[in-house]
Amino acid sequence: FLINIGLETLHLRVPRHCESAFKVASYLQSREDVAWVKYPGLPGDTYYELAQKYMPKGTCGVISFGLKGGRQAAHRQLTDEQLVEAGVDPSMIRFSVGLESAGDIIEDIRQALED
């Protein structure tokens, strides 16, 4: 029953995820304290061309980004060595955008990065 309910609204939720994620990724890309942003829907991303070819209506709600402040700015739980062993840059933050307003998400990120 719950799977069916989820499927019935999928066509409404996924475009919202993609739209909000693009706005958040664009905002992150514009910040001086953000070192890099990985989001296939952004022009210039490594996978942008493939995303346009295979996912022309939007890519996803997941964004990865790194802060110029490195580990201290990212507040990690694992050691740098453990992160590198797992193939993760110690400055990386992975963020999953949901149905919330992109403006609200951006404001939350702004507050977190400026505090």
Side-chain angles (χ1 to χ4, degrees):
F1 173 77
L2 293 177
I3 291 173
N4 190 40
I5 295 292
L7 289 174
E8 288 178 356
T9 60
L10 194 61
H11 71 285
L12 300 172
R13 291 182 287 117
V14 171
R16 176 77 177 264
H17 286 254
C18 295
E19 178 185 335
S20 292
F22 177 78
K23 289 178 182 178
V24 171
S26 297
Y27 167 74
L28 288 167
Q29 195 173 49
S30 74
R31 289 194 56 100
E32 290 292 322
D33 50 357
V34 173
W36 52 268
V37 178
K38 299 277 186 189
Y39 181 70
L42 282 178
D45 184 87
T46 305
Y47 298 103
Y48 179 76
E49 295 300 326
L50 288 174
Q52 295 302 299
K53 180 178 179 179
Y54 295 112
M55 296 175 275
K57 294 182 180 181
T59 56
C60 65
V62 178
I63 303 162
S64 295
F65 64 100
L67 298 176
K68 289 184 180 174
R71 179 183 185 78
Q72 296 298 337
H75 307 297
R76 291 292 178 191
Q77 295 173 344
L78 299 176
T79 66
D80 284 350
E81 293 77 22
Q82 290 170 323
L83 290 169
V84 170
E85 283 179 22
V88 176
D89 183 306
S91 70
M92 184 177 91
I93 297 171
R94 187 168 163 174
F95 189 81
S96 181
V97 176
L99 296 175
E100 307 84 4
S101 158
D104 290 345
I105 295 168
I106 290 169
E107 181 59 21
D108 289 345
I109 291 171
R110 186 196 62 74
Q111 287 179 19
L113 292 177
E114 293 177 5
D115 286 341

PDB file of all heavy atoms in Angstrom, residues 20-34 37 42 102 105-114:
ATOM      1  N   SER A  20      15.073  21.821  -6.892  1.00  0.00           N
ATOM      2  CA  SER A  20      15.656  22.357  -5.662  1.00  0.00           C
ATOM      3  C   SER A  20      17.147  22.059  -5.580  1.00  0.00           C
ATOM      4  O   SER A  20      17.942  22.917  -5.172  1.00  0.00           O
ATOM      5  CB  SER A  20      14.939  21.787  -4.434  1.00  0.00           C
ATOM      6  OG  SER A  20      13.625  22.267  -4.368  1.00  0.00           O
ATOM      7  N   ALA A  21      17.548  20.851  -5.961  1.00  0.00           N
ATOM      8  CA  ALA A  21      18.967  20.491  -5.920  1.00  0.00           C
ATOM      9  C   ALA A  21      19.779  21.379  -6.857  1.00  0.00           C
ATOM     10  O   ALA A  21      20.881  21.811  -6.511  1.00  0.00           O
ATOM     11  CB  ALA A  21      19.156  19.023  -6.283  1.00  0.00           C
ATOM     12  N   PHE A  22      19.250  21.670  -8.031  1.00  0.00           N
ATOM     13  CA  PHE A  22      19.965  22.556  -8.958  1.00  0.00           C
ATOM     14  C   PHE A  22      20.143  23.943  -8.349  1.00  0.00           C
ATOM     15  O   PHE A  22      21.224  24.534  -8.424  1.00  0.00           O
ATOM     16  CB  PHE A  22      19.221  22.651 -10.291  1.00  0.00           C
ATOM     17  CG  PHE A  22      19.880  23.611 -11.244  1.00  0.00           C
ATOM     18  CD1 PHE A  22      21.013  23.239 -11.939  1.00  0.00           C
ATOM     19  CD2 PHE A  22      19.377  24.886 -11.419  1.00  0.00           C
ATOM     20  CE1 PHE A  22      21.641  24.127 -12.801  1.00  0.00           C
ATOM     21  CE2 PHE A  22      19.993  25.785 -12.278  1.00  0.00           C
ATOM     22  CZ  PHE A  22      21.131  25.402 -12.973  1.00  0.00           C
ATOM     23  N   LYS A  23      19.098  24.469  -7.722  1.00  0.00           N
ATOM     24  CA  LYS A  23      19.191  25.790  -7.092  1.00  0.00           C
ATOM     25  C   LYS A  23      20.198  25.799  -5.953  1.00  0.00           C
ATOM     26  O   LYS A  23      20.995  26.732  -5.817  1.00  0.00           O
ATOM     27  CB  LYS A  23      17.816  26.236  -6.583  1.00  0.00           C
ATOM     28  CG  LYS A  23      16.846  26.589  -7.682  1.00  0.00           C
ATOM     29  CD  LYS A  23      15.493  26.977  -7.116  1.00  0.00           C
ATOM     30  CE  LYS A  23      14.498  27.286  -8.224  1.00  0.00           C
ATOM     31  NZ  LYS A  23      13.167  27.606  -7.684  1.00  0.00           N
ATOM     32  N   VAL A  24      20.176  24.753  -5.136  1.00  0.00           N
ATOM     33  CA  VAL A  24      21.111  24.658  -4.016  1.00  0.00           C
ATOM     34  C   VAL A  24      22.541  24.511  -4.535  1.00  0.00           C
ATOM     35  O   VAL A  24      23.464  25.175  -4.047  1.00  0.00           O
ATOM     36  CB  VAL A  24      20.732  23.499  -3.073  1.00  0.00           C
ATOM     37  CG1 VAL A  24      21.812  23.252  -2.034  1.00  0.00           C
ATOM     38  CG2 VAL A  24      19.398  23.785  -2.395  1.00  0.00           C
ATOM     39  N   ALA A  25      22.759  23.664  -5.539  1.00  0.00           N
ATOM     40  CA  ALA A  25      24.099  23.477  -6.109  1.00  0.00           C
ATOM     41  C   ALA A  25      24.616  24.780  -6.717  1.00  0.00           C
ATOM     42  O   ALA A  25      25.789  25.127  -6.543  1.00  0.00           O
ATOM     43  CB  ALA A  25      24.076  22.364  -7.160  1.00  0.00           C
ATOM     44  N   SER A  26      23.749  25.513  -7.393  1.00  0.00           N
ATOM     45  CA  SER A  26      24.143  26.807  -7.971  1.00  0.00           C
ATOM     46  C   SER A  26      24.527  27.790  -6.876  1.00  0.00           C
ATOM     47  O   SER A  26      25.512  28.526  -6.999  1.00  0.00           O
ATOM     48  CB  SER A  26      23.003  27.383  -8.810  1.00  0.00           C
ATOM     49  OG  SER A  26      22.717  26.553  -9.896  1.00  0.00           O
ATOM     50  N   TYR A  27      23.749  27.801  -5.804  1.00  0.00           N
ATOM     51  CA  TYR A  27      24.059  28.680  -4.677  1.00  0.00           C
ATOM     52  C   TYR A  27      25.420  28.314  -4.076  1.00  0.00           C
ATOM     53  O   TYR A  27      26.256  29.191  -3.840  1.00  0.00           O
ATOM     54  CB  TYR A  27      22.970  28.575  -3.607  1.00  0.00           C
ATOM     55  CG  TYR A  27      23.367  29.212  -2.302  1.00  0.00           C
ATOM     56  CD1 TYR A  27      23.399  30.600  -2.168  1.00  0.00           C
ATOM     57  CD2 TYR A  27      23.741  28.429  -1.220  1.00  0.00           C
ATOM     58  CE1 TYR A  27      23.786  31.181  -0.975  1.00  0.00           C
ATOM     59  CE2 TYR A  27      24.126  29.008  -0.026  1.00  0.00           C
ATOM     60  CZ  TYR A  27      24.153  30.391   0.096  1.00  0.00           C
ATOM     61  OH  TYR A  27      24.546  30.959   1.276  1.00  0.00           O
ATOM     62  N   LEU A  28      25.639  27.027  -3.834  1.00  0.00           N
ATOM     63  CA  LEU A  28      26.911  26.589  -3.262  1.00  0.00           C
ATOM     64  C   LEU A  28      28.081  26.981  -4.162  1.00  0.00           C
ATOM     65  O   LEU A  28      29.127  27.422  -3.683  1.00  0.00           O
ATOM     66  CB  LEU A  28      26.899  25.079  -3.033  1.00  0.00           C
ATOM     67  CG  LEU A  28      26.024  24.593  -1.890  1.00  0.00           C
ATOM     68  CD1 LEU A  28      25.855  23.080  -1.966  1.00  0.00           C
ATOM     69  CD2 LEU A  28      26.599  25.012  -0.550  1.00  0.00           C
ATOM     70  N   GLN A  29      27.896  26.830  -5.452  1.00  0.00           N
ATOM     71  CA  GLN A  29      28.941  27.165  -6.415  1.00  0.00           C
ATOM     72  C   GLN A  29      29.306  28.654  -6.359  1.00  0.00           C
ATOM     73  O   GLN A  29      30.434  29.038  -6.641  1.00  0.00           O
ATOM     74  CB  GLN A  29      28.486  26.774  -7.819  1.00  0.00           C
ATOM     75  CG  GLN A  29      29.573  26.732  -8.846  1.00  0.00           C
ATOM     76  CD  GLN A  29      29.055  26.180 -10.158  1.00  0.00           C
ATOM     77  OE1 GLN A  29      28.022  26.607 -10.654  1.00  0.00           O
ATOM     78  NE2 GLN A  29      29.774  25.223 -10.717  1.00  0.00           N
ATOM     79  N   SER A  30      28.367  29.485  -5.957  1.00  0.00           N
ATOM     80  CA  SER A  30      28.599  30.937  -5.922  1.00  0.00           C
ATOM     81  C   SER A  30      29.289  31.403  -4.639  1.00  0.00           C
ATOM     82  O   SER A  30      29.714  32.550  -4.557  1.00  0.00           O
ATOM     83  CB  SER A  30      27.271  31.681  -6.074  1.00  0.00           C
ATOM     84  OG  SER A  30      26.506  31.596  -4.875  1.00  0.00           O
ATOM     85  N   ARG A  31      29.412  30.534  -3.652  1.00  0.00           N
ATOM     86  CA  ARG A  31      29.976  30.932  -2.353  1.00  0.00           C
ATOM     87  C   ARG A  31      31.502  30.897  -2.361  1.00  0.00           C
ATOM     88  O   ARG A  31      32.105  29.963  -2.876  1.00  0.00           O
ATOM     89  CB  ARG A  31      29.450  30.024  -1.245  1.00  0.00           C
ATOM     90  CG  ARG A  31      27.974  30.273  -0.948  1.00  0.00           C
ATOM     91  CD  ARG A  31      27.586  29.628   0.345  1.00  0.00           C
ATOM     92  NE  ARG A  31      28.409  30.053   1.453  1.00  0.00           N
ATOM     93  CZ  ARG A  31      28.059  30.984   2.354  1.00  0.00           C
ATOM     94  NH1 ARG A  31      26.906  31.590   2.253  1.00  0.00           N
ATOM     95  NH2 ARG A  31      28.873  31.291   3.355  1.00  0.00           N
ATOM     96  N   GLU A  32      32.104  31.876  -1.742  1.00  0.00           N
ATOM     97  CA  GLU A  32      33.560  31.956  -1.648  1.00  0.00           C
ATOM     98  C   GLU A  32      34.150  30.872  -0.751  1.00  0.00           C
ATOM     99  O   GLU A  32      35.284  30.447  -0.947  1.00  0.00           O
ATOM    100  CB  GLU A  32      33.971  33.333  -1.109  1.00  0.00           C
ATOM    101  CG  GLU A  32      33.734  34.465  -2.091  1.00  0.00           C
ATOM    102  CD  GLU A  32      34.649  34.380  -3.295  1.00  0.00           C
ATOM    103  OE1 GLU A  32      35.830  34.005  -3.135  1.00  0.00           O
ATOM    104  OE2 GLU A  32      34.176  34.685  -4.402  1.00  0.00           O
ATOM    105  N   ASP A  33      33.385  30.402   0.256  1.00  0.00           N
ATOM    106  CA  ASP A  33      33.915  29.415   1.192  1.00  0.00           C
ATOM    107  C   ASP A  33      33.719  27.971   0.726  1.00  0.00           C
ATOM    108  O   ASP A  33      34.120  27.043   1.406  1.00  0.00           O
ATOM    109  CB  ASP A  33      33.322  29.604   2.587  1.00  0.00           C
ATOM    110  CG  ASP A  33      31.803  29.699   2.596  1.00  0.00           C
ATOM    111  OD1 ASP A  33      31.182  29.668   1.512  1.00  0.00           O
ATOM    112  OD2 ASP A  33      31.231  29.817   3.693  1.00  0.00           O
ATOM    113  N   VAL A  34      33.125  27.788  -0.432  1.00  0.00           N
ATOM    114  CA  VAL A  34      32.936  26.447  -1.006  1.00  0.00           C
ATOM    115  C   VAL A  34      34.015  26.235  -2.070  1.00  0.00           C
ATOM    116  O   VAL A  34      34.132  27.013  -3.013  1.00  0.00           O
ATOM    117  CB  VAL A  34      31.520  26.286  -1.605  1.00  0.00           C
ATOM    118  CG1 VAL A  34      31.386  24.965  -2.336  1.00  0.00           C
ATOM    119  CG2 VAL A  34      30.466  26.405  -0.500  1.00  0.00           C
ATOM    120  N   VAL A  37      31.909  21.919  -6.120  1.00  0.00           N
ATOM    121  CA  VAL A  37      30.554  21.353  -6.087  1.00  0.00           C
ATOM    122  C   VAL A  37      30.468  20.277  -7.156  1.00  0.00           C
ATOM    123  O   VAL A  37      30.857  20.506  -8.302  1.00  0.00           O
ATOM    124  CB  VAL A  37      29.469  22.437  -6.350  1.00  0.00           C
ATOM    125  CG1 VAL A  37      28.079  21.821  -6.358  1.00  0.00           C
ATOM    126  CG2 VAL A  37      29.561  23.563  -5.339  1.00  0.00           C
ATOM    127  N   LEU A  42      24.834  20.714 -13.151  1.00  0.00           N
ATOM    128  CA  LEU A  42      25.512  22.002 -13.293  1.00  0.00           C
ATOM    129  C   LEU A  42      26.395  22.027 -14.531  1.00  0.00           C
ATOM    130  O   LEU A  42      27.215  21.122 -14.723  1.00  0.00           O
ATOM    131  CB  LEU A  42      26.410  22.277 -12.083  1.00  0.00           C
ATOM    132  CG  LEU A  42      25.778  22.759 -10.810  1.00  0.00           C
ATOM    133  CD1 LEU A  42      26.847  22.920  -9.726  1.00  0.00           C
ATOM    134  CD2 LEU A  42      25.037  24.065 -11.015  1.00  0.00           C
ATOM    135  N   ALA A 102      13.572  25.326  -1.889  1.00  0.00           N
ATOM    136  CA  ALA A 102      14.989  25.578  -2.153  1.00  0.00           C
ATOM    137  C   ALA A 102      15.458  26.809  -1.384  1.00  0.00           C
ATOM    138  O   ALA A 102      16.571  26.835  -0.863  1.00  0.00           O
ATOM    139  CB  ALA A 102      15.233  25.757  -3.647  1.00  0.00           C
ATOM    140  N   ILE A 105      16.181  25.788   2.182  1.00  0.00           N
ATOM    141  CA  ILE A 105      17.404  24.992   2.251  1.00  0.00           C
ATOM    142  C   ILE A 105      18.622  25.900   2.131  1.00  0.00           C
ATOM    143  O   ILE A 105      19.581  25.790   2.901  1.00  0.00           O
ATOM    144  CB  ILE A 105      17.424  23.918   1.146  1.00  0.00           C
ATOM    145  CG1 ILE A 105      16.295  22.906   1.367  1.00  0.00           C
ATOM    146  CG2 ILE A 105      18.785  23.202   1.112  1.00  0.00           C
ATOM    147  CD1 ILE A 105      16.071  21.984   0.187  1.00  0.00           C
ATOM    148  N   ILE A 106      18.590  26.797   1.167  1.00  0.00           N
ATOM    149  CA  ILE A 106      19.707  27.725   0.959  1.00  0.00           C
ATOM    150  C   ILE A 106      19.924  28.586   2.198  1.00  0.00           C
ATOM    151  O   ILE A 106      21.062  28.804   2.623  1.00  0.00           O
ATOM    152  CB  ILE A 106      19.479  28.575  -0.306  1.00  0.00           C
ATOM    153  CG1 ILE A 106      19.627  27.679  -1.549  1.00  0.00           C
ATOM    154  CG2 ILE A 106      20.428  29.768  -0.355  1.00  0.00           C
ATOM    155  CD1 ILE A 106      19.176  28.324  -2.839  1.00  0.00           C
ATOM    156  N   GLU A 107      18.863  29.061   2.796  1.00  0.00           N
ATOM    157  CA  GLU A 107      18.991  29.873   4.005  1.00  0.00           C
ATOM    158  C   GLU A 107      19.595  29.057   5.148  1.00  0.00           C
ATOM    159  O   GLU A 107      20.460  29.555   5.882  1.00  0.00           O
ATOM    160  CB  GLU A 107      17.631  30.439   4.425  1.00  0.00           C
ATOM    161  CG  GLU A 107      17.667  31.306   5.657  1.00  0.00           C
ATOM    162  CD  GLU A 107      18.571  32.529   5.556  1.00  0.00           C
ATOM    163  OE1 GLU A 107      18.905  32.969   4.440  1.00  0.00           O
ATOM    164  OE2 GLU A 107      18.957  33.056   6.627  1.00  0.00           O
ATOM    165  N   ASP A 108      19.192  27.809   5.305  1.00  0.00           N
ATOM    166  CA  ASP A 108      19.777  26.944   6.334  1.00  0.00           C
ATOM    167  C   ASP A 108      21.274  26.731   6.094  1.00  0.00           C
ATOM    168  O   ASP A 108      22.088  26.763   7.028  1.00  0.00           O
ATOM    169  CB  ASP A 108      19.073  25.590   6.386  1.00  0.00           C
ATOM    170  CG  ASP A 108      17.663  25.674   6.971  1.00  0.00           C
ATOM    171  OD1 ASP A 108      17.342  26.695   7.590  1.00  0.00           O
ATOM    172  OD2 ASP A 108      16.901  24.705   6.786  1.00  0.00           O
ATOM    173  N   ILE A 109      21.653  26.499   4.834  1.00  0.00           N
ATOM    174  CA  ILE A 109      23.067  26.310   4.499  1.00  0.00           C
ATOM    175  C   ILE A 109      23.838  27.600   4.764  1.00  0.00           C
ATOM    176  O   ILE A 109      24.936  27.576   5.342  1.00  0.00           O
ATOM    177  CB  ILE A 109      23.236  25.867   3.027  1.00  0.00           C
ATOM    178  CG1 ILE A 109      22.704  24.436   2.857  1.00  0.00           C
ATOM    179  CG2 ILE A 109      24.693  25.952   2.595  1.00  0.00           C
ATOM    180  CD1 ILE A 109      22.623  23.983   1.407  1.00  0.00           C
ATOM    181  N   ARG A 110      23.278  28.727   4.364  1.00  0.00           N
ATOM    182  CA  ARG A 110      23.931  30.012   4.588  1.00  0.00           C
ATOM    183  C   ARG A 110      24.215  30.220   6.073  1.00  0.00           C
ATOM    184  O   ARG A 110      25.326  30.576   6.461  1.00  0.00           O
ATOM    185  CB  ARG A 110      23.091  31.171   4.053  1.00  0.00           C
ATOM    186  CG  ARG A 110      23.805  32.527   4.141  1.00  0.00           C
ATOM    187  CD  ARG A 110      22.851  33.699   3.987  1.00  0.00           C
ATOM    188  NE  ARG A 110      21.842  33.749   5.034  1.00  0.00           N
ATOM    189  CZ  ARG A 110      22.066  34.126   6.309  1.00  0.00           C
ATOM    190  NH1 ARG A 110      23.278  34.447   6.700  1.00  0.00           N
ATOM    191  NH2 ARG A 110      21.092  34.155   7.189  1.00  0.00           N
ATOM    192  N   GLN A 111      23.204  29.969   6.907  1.00  0.00           N
ATOM    193  CA  GLN A 111      23.377  30.143   8.347  1.00  0.00           C
ATOM    194  C   GLN A 111      24.450  29.203   8.888  1.00  0.00           C
ATOM    195  O   GLN A 111      25.283  29.606   9.704  1.00  0.00           O
ATOM    196  CB  GLN A 111      22.056  29.890   9.069  1.00  0.00           C
ATOM    197  CG  GLN A 111      21.047  30.995   8.889  1.00  0.00           C
ATOM    198  CD  GLN A 111      19.739  30.687   9.601  1.00  0.00           C
ATOM    199  OE1 GLN A 111      19.674  29.847  10.487  1.00  0.00           O
ATOM    200  NE2 GLN A 111      18.677  31.380   9.191  1.00  0.00           N
ATOM    201  N   ALA A 112      24.441  27.948   8.442  1.00  0.00           N
ATOM    202  CA  ALA A 112      25.411  26.971   8.939  1.00  0.00           C
ATOM    203  C   ALA A 112      26.838  27.344   8.537  1.00  0.00           C
ATOM    204  O   ALA A 112      27.770  27.202   9.330  1.00  0.00           O
ATOM    205  CB  ALA A 112      25.073  25.575   8.404  1.00  0.00           C
ATOM    206  N   LEU A 113      27.018  27.825   7.318  1.00  0.00           N
ATOM    207  CA  LEU A 113      28.356  28.171   6.857  1.00  0.00           C
ATOM    208  C   LEU A 113      28.856  29.474   7.462  1.00  0.00           C
ATOM    209  O   LEU A 113      30.067  29.659   7.598  1.00  0.00           O
ATOM    210  CB  LEU A 113      28.375  28.261   5.328  1.00  0.00           C
ATOM    211  CG  LEU A 113      28.186  26.948   4.587  1.00  0.00           C
ATOM    212  CD1 LEU A 113      28.143  27.183   3.090  1.00  0.00           C
ATOM    213  CD2 LEU A 113      29.288  25.957   4.936  1.00  0.00           C
ATOM    214  N   GLU A 114      27.976  30.353   7.839  1.00  0.00           N
ATOM    215  CA  GLU A 114      28.393  31.642   8.389  1.00  0.00           C
ATOM    216  C   GLU A 114      28.518  31.636   9.906  1.00  0.00           C
ATOM    217  O   GLU A 114      29.040  32.567  10.490  1.00  0.00           O
ATOM    218  CB  GLU A 114      27.460  32.748   7.913  1.00  0.00           C
ATOM    219  CG  GLU A 114      27.600  32.980   6.420  1.00  0.00           C
ATOM    220  CD  GLU A 114      26.653  34.018   5.852  1.00  0.00           C
ATOM    221  OE1 GLU A 114      25.906  34.658   6.630  1.00  0.00           O
ATOM    222  OE2 GLU A 114      26.669  34.184   4.624  1.00  0.00           O
TER     223      GLU A 114
END
